[in-house]
Amino acid sequence: MRMNLCLENHHCLRSLKQVLQKYGSIILELALLMCVGLPKFKDIGVMMLDHAGKLRSRQVDPKRVREAMSMAIIEHDLPYSFIEYRRIRELLNLLNPDVKHISRNTAMSDVWKFYLDQKDMLKKRMAKSRGRICLTFDCWTSYTTEGYICLTAHFIDDSWNLNSRILSFCKMEPPHSGVELARKIFSCLKEWGVDRKIFSLTLDNASANDSMQCILKEHLSLQNSLLCGGEFFHIRCCAHILNLIVQEGLKVASGALIKIRESIKYVKASEARMISFNECVAEVGGIDTGMGLRLDVSTRWNSTYVMLESVIKYRRAFRSLSLFDKNFKSCPSNEEWMRAEKMEDFLLPFNIITNLFSGSSYPTSNMYFMQIWKIECLLIENLSVDDSVIQDMATRMKEKFDKYWSDYSVILAIAAVLDPRMKLDALKFCYSKLHPINWKQKLENVKTKLYTLFAQYETRDVGASSSSVVVPSLETKGDGAPSKDASWEWINYVCETESPTGKSELDKYLEEPKLKPKCHENLYVLGHWRGHQNEFPSLSKMACDILSIPITTVAS
């Protein structure tokens, strides 16, 4: 091919013949590579010839191009008119001269079709999911005073992976009453075909949400689709309650916080002040500039913690700035700086727990119980410290804690029991530490609810449970008769001689030794139940539903 093309170039035909006669074929190959009249083809795909013998571009599937354009519009939030931009069309022509351009209306239709296809796929996935579906719901008002709602479904698929998918994100017309919110959510569940598969709904403490969940629970109970009459339907958002608790404590130390906040605002108000502050940082031996100063959002306590963490290392620089800048009058005193340091230490565990609740991935609900227990232990510990401000903070926070968490959520305590590293022993340990008088009563209450809930799974899902057990198939001979396999005979022997013990799956699970926490620190609990679903078919289904309960409405 290359020789024929080259020999068609008459400018080098004579010289190539002379090379071939004098040096042979090896040197001829080198000459072909160096021939200036020969096109340099780097890709065999561009060497296709049409019927006239001319080079033509490779074939491009226009359907794939439209799909790629739809994905670009969705992922990068581009306008539909993007498809009609002159430079974009020039680029497409450059890549493929035979491209067929589409209009913005066609692009809009493609995106809508893609949405409907994905919605249909998600509906089928949720319909085939092995367990029930847990919901989170949030409602807020934008800066334009328009109301919006977001409804998210959390479920475990056939591969035992936790999925979170937004079912509805839309504008909510007033009034935002409990009746209207319940109607909106119920119609959305009907549209997705999951109204009979709901297990729980996680909400924050807005007053409208309380009435909404009651109305929605009544709707779902009429269909007899909730377990235990909806007793475990309503879950309070842990991140929201934690925010209320800490905000209550921060009210005590508002004086020091205001001064710190105003000091940061003063320094960051102009470039000249920032330069002066950086000079003070260098003067007192600072290793970096004050660019790391973080201003908080007063309604978010964890941002207040980040502010304290960033500003305390610059306390000497602020004091230095106050000596020569007479306009800087909000510098905290030494006593207030010391109080800020104690507040930072006090809030550190709360910040760690909040990051766990509101992290980049939704934690399974077995992580809830021990974290709330740690919070209560920390508050009780700080009720008797020497600093009166920290003591007052802990007192007010403990009162708020008791308002919401005096009795830990039973369903999330059950989630801790379904962690093979904890079981009932973890609840016994935690209750006895904090409630030495009535810990047995609390533990017995959780145990009773645990057995009541499991009984419903046994009665409702007995058919599904038996079908989920994997039974080895018989090997057959060539004539179709089953072979006498020794392993199969052993399985039959065990099934015939095994005497029933009268113990349920739950009894067997609780009696088994716990996994050692030190050896299984990073245990993937869903993976553990996936490996034991044949041994505990009904209990694994219950674990699947309970462990998928989101403990926060905060989106990842």
Side-chain angles (χ1 to χ4, degrees), residues 361-380:
S361 61
Y362 288 97
T364 47
S365 57
N366 59 300
M367 304 179 71
Y368 158 86
F369 186 85
M370 294 297 290
Q371 300 302 325
I372 303 303
W373 176 74
K374 290 178 183 178
I375 291 174
E376 188 170 11
C377 289
L378 182 65
L379 293 176
I380 293 176

Side-chain angles (χ1 to χ4, degrees), residues 315 333-343 387:
R315 55 181 295 183
S333 64
N334 287 331
E335 182 182 353
E336 288 169 330
W337 280 117
M338 292 176 61
R339 181 166 297 128
E341 288 181 346
K342 292 180 181 179
M343 287 171 58
D387 191 291

Side-chain angles (χ1 to χ4, degrees), residues 216-275:
L216 183 60
K217 182 164 66 175
E218 290 296 327
H219 278 295
L220 298 175
S221 297
L222 291 175
Q223 302 177 158
N224 195 29
S225 58
L226 293 178
L227 295 175
C228 298
E231 181 180 357
F232 307 118
F233 176 67
H234 182 204
I235 308 294
R236 295 188 181 276
C237 172
C238 295
H240 183 73
I241 294 177
L242 190 60
N243 183 59
L244 294 176
I245 291 173
V246 182
Q247 289 285 9
E248 186 68 23
L250 291 178
K251 292 177 182 178
V252 176
S254 59
L257 289 177
I258 291 174
K259 281 191 175 182
I260 291 174
R261 191 177 293 126
E262 292 301 319
S263 297
I264 297 175
K265 287 182 180 179
Y266 181 84
V267 168
K268 297 174 76 75
S270 69
E271 184 179 2
R273 291 177 183 175
M274 199 68 198
I275 292 174

Side-chain angles (χ1 to χ4, degrees), residues 35-138:
C35 177
V36 294
L38 182 65
K40 300 299 187 288
F41 297 109
K42 296 182 180 180
D43 187 353
I44 193 66
V46 300
M47 293 178 60
M48 298 181 293
L49 303 177
D50 60 13
H51 65 281
K54 296 181 179 180
L55 292 176
R56 62 182 175 86
S57 59
R58 68 179 68 183
Q59 292 293 326
V60 178
D61 186 357
K63 182 180 178 181
R64 295 288 303 275
V65 174
R66 288 173 61 172
E67 289 176 354
M69 284 295 180
S70 297
M71 290 302 299
I73 291 172
I74 295 170
E75 183 172 343
H76 301 294
D77 197 22
L78 299 172
Y80 292 116
S81 58
F82 157 80
I83 204 71
E84 297 179 347
Y85 290 172
R86 181 168 63 88
R87 294 299 183 183
I88 295 298
R89 292 199 166 185
E90 286 182 3
L91 174 62
L92 294 177
N93 284 326
L94 181 64
L95 296 176
N96 180 21
D98 300 328
V99 65
K100 295 180 180 179
H101 297 291
I102 61 174
S103 66
R104 68 182 72 186
N105 292 331
T106 304
M108 183 173 63
S109 299
D110 289 345
V111 170
W112 181 249
K113 182 179 180 299
F114 178 80
Y115 163 74
L116 294 178
D117 291 342
Q118 293 297 313
K119 181 178 180 179
D120 187 58
M121 290 172 58
L122 181 56
K123 288 174 74 172
K124 291 178 180 178
R125 283 185 64 190
M126 291 194 296
K128 294 179 180 178
S129 62
R130 63 174 53 254
R132 291 175 172 266
I133 294 173
C134 301
L135 303 172
T136 54
F137 175 79
D138 203 3

Side-chain angles (χ1 to χ4, degrees), residues 497-503:
T497 58
E498 191 177 45
S499 58
T501 60
K503 294 182 178 179

Side-chain angles (χ1 to χ4, degrees), residues 186-408:
F186 188 69
S187 63
C188 180
L189 298 180
K190 295 282 286 186
E191 178 187 354
W192 284 89
V194 296
D195 52 303
R196 295 181 180 273
K197 295 192 66 174
I198 302 303
F199 185 84
S200 69
L201 175 64
T202 304
L203 302 166
D204 62 25
N205 279 1
S207 57
N209 285 344
D210 288 336
S211 59
M212 178 270 287
Q213 66 89 16
C214 291
I215 297 170
L216 183 60
K217 182 164 66 175
E218 290 296 327
H219 278 295
L220 298 175
S221 297
L222 291 175
Q223 302 177 158
N224 195 29
S225 58
L226 293 178
L227 295 175
C228 298
E231 181 180 357
F232 307 118
F233 176 67
H234 182 204
I235 308 294
R236 295 188 181 276
C237 172
C238 295
H240 183 73
I241 294 177
L242 190 60
N243 183 59
L244 294 176
I245 291 173
V246 182
Q247 289 285 9
E248 186 68 23
L250 291 178
K251 292 177 182 178
V252 176
S254 59
L257 289 177
I258 291 174
K259 281 191 175 182
I260 291 174
R261 191 177 293 126
E262 292 301 319
S263 297
I264 297 175
K265 287 182 180 179
Y266 181 84
V267 168
K268 297 174 76 75
S270 69
E271 184 179 2
R273 291 177 183 175
M274 199 68 198
I275 292 174
S276 298
F277 182 75
N278 290 336
E279 292 174 353
C280 294
V281 173
E283 181 182 344
V284 298
I287 58 175
D288 58 2
T289 65
M291 297 301 293
L293 291 174
R294 300 282 295 274
L295 189 63
D296 71 331
V297 180
S298 58
T299 55
R300 292 175 51 219
W301 77 265
N302 51 329
S303 71
T304 302
Y305 168 80
V306 173
M307 180 186 71
L308 291 174
E309 185 183 34
S310 70
V311 75
I312 286 176
K313 60 184 177 182
Y314 298 113
R315 55 181 295 183
R316 294 174 61 197
F318 277 107
R319 295 291 296 169
S320 176
L321 181 65
S322 66
L323 294 177
F324 69 86
D325 188 348
K326 300 306 179 182
N327 293 322
F328 180 38
K329 301 178 180 180
S330 58
C331 183
S333 64
N334 287 331
E335 182 182 353
E336 288 169 330
W337 280 117
M338 292 176 61
R339 181 166 297 128
E341 288 181 346
K342 292 180 181 179
M343 287 171 58
E344 182 194 4
D345 294 337
F346 179 58
L347 295 176
L348 175 60
F350 293 92
N351 185 64
I352 294 173
I353 294 171
T354 297
N355 290 336
L356 172 66
F357 287 170
S358 312
S360 59
S361 61
Y362 288 97
T364 47
S365 57
N366 59 300
M367 304 179 71
Y368 158 86
F369 186 85
M370 294 297 290
Q371 300 302 325
I372 303 303
W373 176 74
K374 290 178 183 178
I375 291 174
E376 188 170 11
C377 289
L378 182 65
L379 293 176
I380 293 176
E381 178 183 340
N382 281 274
L383 289 176
S384 55
V385 295
D386 296 333
D387 191 291
S388 59
V389 174
I390 299 297
Q391 186 182 52
D392 196 9
M393 284 179 62
T395 301
R396 298 183 66 164
M397 291 168 68
K398 184 64 170 65
E399 292 174 356
K400 185 70 75 170
F401 180 96
D402 291 338
K403 177 181 178 180
Y404 295 107
W405 283 334
S406 58
D407 291 320
Y408 298 175

